[in-house]
Amino acid sequence: MYEEIRSRMEQAVSELLAAAKLKRGDLLVIGCSSSEVMGQRIGTGSSMEAAKAVYAGCAPVLSREGIALAVQCCEHLNRAVILEEDAAIRYHLEMVNVIPRLKAGGSFATAAWNGMEHPCAVESIKAPAG
């Protein structure tokens, strides 16, 4: 099941990049409910496995294309956004001092934080795609 989630996410991101015509260095913001990925109501069935599969499907494609991934946290962290620190610096984004967790920030934000090399959080962001 998780391989199918990863594969579908990889395909979806590839199709989005083809349609959106993003340039190297652009930002793409993704918000994701792992509960909904698993067919449940938002916030009722968080799944780190599903979140990791979604991240594994999108992060390599975006990295290969030079597109910076920004991941939206849930309302428990005021919808802060997780991204690589170098992207935050490049776009002059104000960093905030939070670390997402399963029930405070969301599964996908936590998976992104754990998967990124130098993650940071910012309070707000503008991006050409999301």
Side-chain angles (χ1 to χ4, degrees):
M1 170 194 292
Y2 299 117
E3 175 53 29
E4 182 179 346
I5 293 169
R6 187 210 60 76
S7 177
R8 286 185 180 203
M9 187 62 184
E10 180 179 355
Q11 179 180 355
V13 169
S14 296
E15 290 174 8
L16 173 66
L17 292 181
K21 309 243 188 289
L22 298 177
K23 302 179 303 283
R24 290 187 83 72
D26 280 347
L27 291 165
L28 171 65
V29 180
I30 299 177
C32 172
S33 165
S34 63
S35 297
E36 290 182 313
V37 168
M38 298 305 293
Q40 299 178 28
R41 202 175 92 246
I42 191 168
T44 62
S46 296
S47 167
M48 278 305 300
E49 293 79 13
K52 288 176 185 177
V54 170
Y55 182 78
C58 67
V61 174
L62 296 171
S63 178
R64 182 173 58 244
E65 297 298 324
I67 306 299
L69 172 62
V71 173
Q72 183 181 18
C73 294
C74 72
E75 68 276 5
H76 296 107
L77 286 184
N78 294 327
R79 303 215 185 277
V81 179
I82 307 303
L83 71 161
E84 289 284 1
E85 185 176 4
D86 65 338
I89 292 168
R90 182 172 57 245
Y91 285 97
H92 310 287
L93 302 173
E94 185 176 346
M95 291 180 241
V96 295
N97 193 19
V98 299
I99 298 175
R101 294 289 176 246
L102 180 64
K103 299 289 184 181
S107 301
F108 186 49
T110 302
W113 182 278
N114 292 334
M116 291 179 176
E117 192 170 329
H118 298 289
C120 73
V122 298
E123 186 173 356
S124 64
I125 195 168
K126 289 185 180 181

